[in-house]
């Protein structure tokens, strides 16, 4: 097994201990399994909480900090966090202004965040929920009813996080998050499967020379499997799916500005991610779309999967200003 | 082949085109194959230039920008840049104050940078060279006489880059770079081989369940091959090599401060890198050493190799202050 670990049983605990050691600006509560900022929440600030299965690092713990999340709830690898855990995070960051949950659309996550929101409500904490469902590859999937949540989560957490640092209320922060999600579409292609610490071998069989088109971030199947295409072909089919959908539902049209994320799934070298970004930029330019901001790297991963997920967000001045706002987290940091 | 590319022949050109598209703050000259800052060099600033084979991204192109390099020269994959290319970079950033070359200790790099320095000298540009040779795993190797250069390159480029933004002359910048190198040691372990775009298959055979102890960043052999140990065991043997050497040559002793880099070789998930960092922090604490600053992520990679390289730098107030200084590059960004 090509994994750095002490035992599969202690993997997550050990990894979180390392995160805590590396980032004194975070508090990792191993008991409740929540990650919060070391600085106590500013009174009156809307709390922003997200979480989901581990194995997608830096999502979500790497996005805790000024300008993004107040707390993250890491589940076991590819497993939803539990309601008590989410409730603990929600309570920890509530200062009276309510809490917004950012939830990727997987059945377990949705159910557990919903339960936690109900428990929070009983405890007098108003919770708003932003459901992220940007993956155009499939309707319904192995662990999803409706579309899966993927790369747009970074955009939602960044921009809603920026707004939450200001005098915005929970409804405004959640509304902005929903607007970012509605303006964003993603599509992913995998060239290899990924290996969980527990299984110790690839989670599915993807023969050399084949690609999974529309793969999910747990390796769940996409639209089809076919011989691996060139980067140009992969970008073309991904953007056909993304832009076709954005043109219909989000009214994307020539002259619009976008924010683009070329996200590695963990096992793809940065040189390839930049190559893919170059192809994306050429296609968008050809369609009369401008890229106002971009992000190229590993942000929402699937352990060591070789693959790329492309996200396009139809942006406007407000979104770009929120994107540019200062952020100080382990995985995104600028303006500070 | 699990690679995102259009053809092996155009891989580097296409990847650099993507880097240019993603980062308008950089200029990528495809003809001369050099990467410089878009902002022209400040008159009187010492130019800082590095380069080496591609496949180690974000090294070096991702470290071009304020507070680090003025220019980078990417060679073909795992192949040294050529003297004309290095000369072009040197000339492009020379403003009268001379230029410092940061050179990883591989025979081809050393020869070609030396030739370029001689050509620059003939053209009236004084060049100082900082040789990075921090890898304690082996004396002499496949492509090296003496120790190989690896993770410390990031520390040298960061701290020498910070000094070069001030009123320092070339001798001071080079001297600081040499001091950082002398205070730094690294050791790497690989759990898989890497695949170049050209070969399309792993560059060497590392059976499942075996690790290469002391591997080089091109996959060149290290000290030995043995059954994969636990993360704790891997960290222990790496730090034994690193700290033993630092205690002897660099006078490292209890109570000292350090800067630690846990660097992924490209195919290792971030969750594992943090796990390794946690083990490193525990060992250093046990030895009475404090970690003043750390960096965990993929900074000097070997394409898609699953592996980790640990670097420890004996630090002092001056080095920590230079580490903290503002930096604005694609791969490292803070304080701006």
């Amino acid at each position: 097994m090509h994994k750095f670990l002490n035992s599969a049983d202690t993997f997550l605990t050990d990894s979180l201990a390392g995160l805590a050691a590396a980032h004194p600006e975070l508090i990792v509560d191993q008991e409740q399994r929540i990650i919060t900022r070391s600085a106590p929440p500013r009174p009156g600030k809307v709390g922003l909480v997200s979480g989901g299965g581990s194995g997608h690092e830096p999502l979500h713990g790497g996005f805790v900090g000024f300008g993004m999340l107040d707390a993250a709830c890491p589940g076991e690898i590819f497993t939803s966090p539990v309601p008590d855990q989410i409730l603990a995070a929600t309570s920890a960051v509530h200062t009276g202004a309510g809490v917004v949950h950012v939830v990727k659309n997987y059945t377990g996550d949705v159910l557990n965040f919903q339960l936690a929101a109900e428990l929070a409500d009983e405890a007098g904490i108003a919770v708003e929920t932003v459901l992220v469902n940007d993956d155009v590859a499939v309707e319904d999937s192995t662990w999803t009813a409706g579309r899966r949540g993927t790369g747009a989560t970074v955009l939602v957490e960044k921009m809603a996080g920026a707004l939450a640092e200001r005098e915005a209320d929970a409804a405004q922060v959640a509304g902005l998050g929903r607007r970012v999600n509605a303006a964003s579409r993603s599509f992913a292609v995998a060239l290899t499967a990924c290996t969980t610490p527990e299984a110790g071998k690839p989670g599915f069989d993807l023969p050399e020379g084949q690609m999974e088109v529309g793969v999910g971030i747990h390796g769940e199947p996409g639209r089809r499997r076919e011989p691996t295409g060139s980067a140009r072909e992969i970008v073309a089919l991904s953007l056909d799916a993304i832009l076709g959908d954005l043109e219909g539902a989000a009214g994307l049209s020539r002259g619009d500005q976008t924010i683009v994320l070329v996200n590695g799934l963990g096992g793809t070298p940065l040189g390839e991610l930049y190559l893919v970004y170059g192809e994306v930029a050429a296609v968008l330019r050809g369609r009369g779309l401008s890229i106002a901001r971009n992000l190229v790297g590993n942000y929402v991963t699937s352990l060591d999967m070789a693959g790329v997920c492309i996200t396009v967000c139809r942006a406007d001045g407000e979104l770009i200003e929120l994107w540019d706002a200062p952020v100080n987290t382990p995985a995104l940091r600028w303006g500070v």
Side-chain angles (χ1 to χ4, degrees), chain A:
Chain A
M1 176 161 66
H2 48 271
K3 295 266 157 207
F4 291 91
L5 46 71
N6 295 316
S7 80
D9 286 349
T10 62
F11 179 81
L12 187 55
T13 302
D14 292 350
S15 181
L16 290 174
L19 180 75
H23 296 290
E25 71 276 17
L26 301 182
I27 293 173
V28 177
D29 181 331
Q30 292 272 16
E31 191 119 355
Q32 303 202 82
R33 193 142 289 182
I34 62 174
I35 302 164
T36 54
R37 309 182 193 179
S38 295
R42 172 173 61 76
K45 178 187 182 302
V46 172
L48 194 62
V49 173
S50 192
S54 293
H56 308 301
E57 288 71 27
L59 193 77
H60 297 270
F63 298 130
V64 174
F66 181 84
M68 282 186 89
L69 299 177
D70 292 283
C73 312
E76 296 294 322
I77 301 280
F78 293 173
T79 303
S80 302
V82 297
D84 278 355
Q85 181 184 3
I86 302 166
L87 179 63
T90 304
S91 304
V93 305
H94 175 59
T95 65
V99 174
V100 173
H101 288 173
V102 177
V103 185
K104 303 195 297 303
N105 190 33
Y106 299 96
T107 307
D109 290 19
V110 171
L111 283 174
N112 289 353
F113 270 95
Q114 190 178 321
L115 264 167
E118 288 165 12
L119 294 168
D121 187 61
E122 286 168 20
I125 305 173
V127 172
E128 292 258 8
T129 299
V130 177
L131 193 69
V132 182
N133 61 350
D134 53 312
D135 186 345
V136 297
V138 291
E139 291 294 333
D140 304 341
S141 176
T142 316
W143 292 301
T144 329
R147 288 178 168 180
R148 302 173 298 209
T150 173
T153 316
V154 180
L155 306 183
V156 170
E157 293 180 1
K158 172 68 185 78
M159 294 189 247
L163 190 61
E165 298 294 345
R166 304 173 186 179
E167 304 292 308
D169 63 28
Q172 290 171 315
V173 172
L176 187 279
R178 291 180 197 121
R179 184 157 97 77
V180 173
N181 177 63
S184 302
R185 297 293 186 281
S186 299
F187 195 95
V189 171
L191 307 186
T192 71
C194 62
T195 299
T196 62
E198 202 154 54
K201 56 182 186 182
F204 61 98
D205 185 49
L206 183 57
E208 185 75 20
Q210 295 273 308
M211 60 179 180
E212 184 71 40
V213 176
V215 71
I217 55 173
H218 314 90
E220 60 269 40
R223 292 184 170 185
R224 61 185 183 273
R225 184 170 292 185
E226 60 184 46
T228 302
S230 69
R232 193 158 297 156
E233 290 162 349
I234 290 170
V235 167
L237 71 86
S238 301
L239 287 178
D240 276 351
I242 289 169
L243 299 178
D245 206 89
L246 271 180
E247 284 162 3
L252 184 77
S253 58
R254 290 186 76 85
D256 279 351
Q257 291 192 300
T258 64
I259 298 174
V260 169
L261 169 60
V262 169
N263 172 55
L265 297 183
T268 290
L270 190 56
E272 294 178 41
L273 299 182
Y274 275 121
L275 188 151
V276 166
Y277 180 79
E279 299 293 335
V280 170
V283 170
L284 293 193
R285 195 166 47 238
R287 297 228 196 174
L289 299 165
S290 71
I291 304 178
R293 300 291 183 272
N294 72 80
L295 197 59
V296 179
N298 291 307
Y299 294 98
V300 181
T301 60
S302 183
L303 294 167
D304 55 354
M305 189 182 287
V308 170
C309 179
I310 300 169
T311 301
V312 178
C313 172
R314 183 190 181 194
D316 56 23
E318 184 192 13
L319 297 191
I320 293 167
E321 192 273 328
L322 290 168
W323 181 257
D324 288 343
V327 61
N328 192 4
T329 71
L332 280 190
R333 189 173 177 190
W334 58 69
V336 289

